[in-house]
Amino acid sequence: RAKAGGGSSACFYSPEMDKAARDRCVLEVDLRRAVEQGGISVLYQPVVSTATGLTTSFEALARWIHPQRGPIPPDLFISIAEECGLVPELGRQVLETACREAASWPSHIRVAVNLSPLQFESGDLAATIVEVLARTGLPATRLQLEVTEGLVIRNVDRVFEILQALRDLGIQILMDDFGVGYSSLGYFERFPFDKVKIDRSFVSRMLESPVSYAIIEAVIGLGKRLGMGTVAEGVETAEQMNALVQLGCTHLQGYLISRPRPAADFEHILRAVPQTGQADARGAGSPS
Ligand code: C2E
Ligand code: MG
Ligand code: MG
Ligand code: MG
């Protein structure tokens, strides 16, 4: 179980630790410094509506460029941050950066921020979010929070209470990476998620695996019945896009549309006056 809080846990390593563990240890020290010195940046990946082809939101994704090693994968540094108590501060910084940038975007475009389960256990998450919204001037209705199943295994009642309080403010709550790990259909009985994000692993296999295809079809059908939007993650090919549109998926995200990039790269979208009915699915920048 990861340590929550305890911001000053030292990292000791010894010769008998294996290389991977020693590596993590060294990275922990460097990550702590990066978080303290504002070394975590944020990229944005567009999410487009299948109904209009327009970008409706951007997902904020944390980036850490190590001074010697270059980019460190978020899955790795987020898990290190979770283990060594850096998540509350790192999470707050990403939230603040994303809200500050999004406050200057056109009012129909939302920003989605990922939350670690540990952010529900440290301090008053709802108060922190309210404070960041107030400071940055972003209306609550333009913020989306992405949560994974991992959080619900812990203190279920408390977590849903916090999510409900956030949703009451007008913030949208998205179930991220649905279908992998411990995610359960029962969550939809406990909480009215605004959208469900279909994990990339299903999308990448959907055209080869009838099982993946059937799972996606079922999740989209469930979304329709429950009034939840469905976001397909990791859309990389036009064939996948067409199949997802055919199935009635409401939103798409993936390299086909755009890789995550700095907000400045999306100026053409973020400056644009909303024009309904104009196809712009590929307007998010060419895949690179
Ligand atoms: P996620 O929230 O599921 O984010 C989507 C991931 O899929 C991102 O990986 C994105 O770059 C990647 N992706 C999007 N489209 C495609 C595609 O077409 N093909 C492929 N191969 N990949 C695609 P990234 O940025 O490496 O982030 C990985 C994970 O790290 C995220 O998964 C999220 O769980 C976590 N993460 C990133 N930033 C934060 C953060 O600020 N806070 C927390 N708690 N977690 C974060
Ligand atoms: Mg996410
Ligand atoms: Mg995801
Ligand atoms: Mg994922």
Side-chain angles (χ1 to χ4, degrees):
R1 191 184 180 283
K3 284 176 276 174
S8 60
S9 68
C11 177
F12 300 104
Y13 58 93
S14 51
E16 57 272 20
M17 283 171 90
D18 66 18
K19 177 154 184 332
R22 227 162 40 227
D23 233 49
R24 273 177 94 83
C25 227
V26 173
L27 278 179
E28 173 182 336
V29 174
D30 295 343
L31 180 59
R32 190 176 298 279
R33 186 175 306 119
V35 170
E36 277 163 10
Q37 301 180 349
I40 304 297
S41 60
V42 181
L43 297 185
Y44 298 88
Q45 188 180 33
V47 175
V48 299
S49 156
T50 53
T52 63
L54 295 167
T55 299
T56 53
S57 63
F58 286 87
E59 179 172 6
L61 294 159
R63 288 295 179 266
W64 178 30
I65 316 282
H66 189 281
Q68 281 85 43
R69 302 188 191 197
I72 309 291
D75 286 322
L76 175 59
F77 75 76
I78 298 287
S79 78
I80 294 175
E82 286 176 338
E83 279 164 29
C84 61
L86 286 170
V87 142
E89 179 54 19
L90 192 158
R92 205 199 49 74
Q93 285 182 19
V94 172
L95 179 75
E96 173 135 7
T97 302
C99 291
R100 198 181 337 101
E101 296 212 65
S104 69
W105 299 349
S107 60
H108 63 288
I109 297 184
R110 294 183 162 107
V111 68
V113 177
N114 292 283
L115 289 184
S116 159
L118 291 183
Q119 288 175 267
F120 287 80
E121 293 180 6
S122 75
D124 186 341
L125 178 63
T128 301
I129 291 172
V130 167
E131 188 206 344
V132 168
L133 289 172
R135 199 167 44 238
T136 58
L138 185 75
T141 51
R142 289 181 51 209
L143 178 63
Q144 299 177 324
L145 297 172
E146 298 194 0
V147 299
T148 52
E149 77 291 345
L151 70 94
V152 197
I153 353 184
R154 292 154 186 266
N155 192 345
V156 188
D157 295 326
R158 170 112 184 91
V159 164
F160 283 127
E161 218 171 84
I162 297 172
L163 288 178
Q164 191 57 58
L166 292 167
R167 197 166 183 269
D168 289 343
L169 297 171
I171 296 169
Q172 290 197 341
I173 310 294
L174 278 51
M175 166 66 80
D176 201 356
D177 301 338
F178 187 68
V180 295
Y182 299 95
S183 50
S184 154
L185 290 171
Y187 298 154
F188 300 121
E189 242 175 355
R190 307 280 318 255
F191 189 78
F193 288 92
D194 293 280
K195 289 190 171 65
V196 51
K197 300 190 76 171
I198 302 167
D199 193 71
R200 185 175 52 157
S201 57
F202 299 108
V203 174
S204 68
R205 291 192 298 261
M206 72 179 293
L207 298 177
E208 293 81 43
S209 157
V211 176
S212 291
Y213 188 93
I215 290 171
I216 291 180
E217 188 170 26
V219 175
I220 292 170
L222 185 72
K224 282 183 192 156
R225 286 294 299 267
L226 300 182
M228 267 185 316
T230 38
V231 186
E233 302 187 303
V235 182
E236 293 186 352
T237 69
E239 290 73 24
Q240 291 166 350
M241 175 179 76
N242 293 337
L244 289 159
V245 169
Q246 206 68 51
L247 288 172
C249 190
T250 69
H251 293 81
L252 308 175
Q253 177 179 4
Y255 292 174
L256 178 69
I257 295 139
S258 171
R259 286 192 181 244
R261 293 168 182 277
D265 286 12
F266 296 109
E267 227 179 326
H268 54 295
I269 299 173
L270 296 175
R271 285 276 160 85
V273 181
Q275 291 179 317
T276 43
Q278 274 224 342
D280 183 32
R282 311 304 309 278
S286 46
S288 61

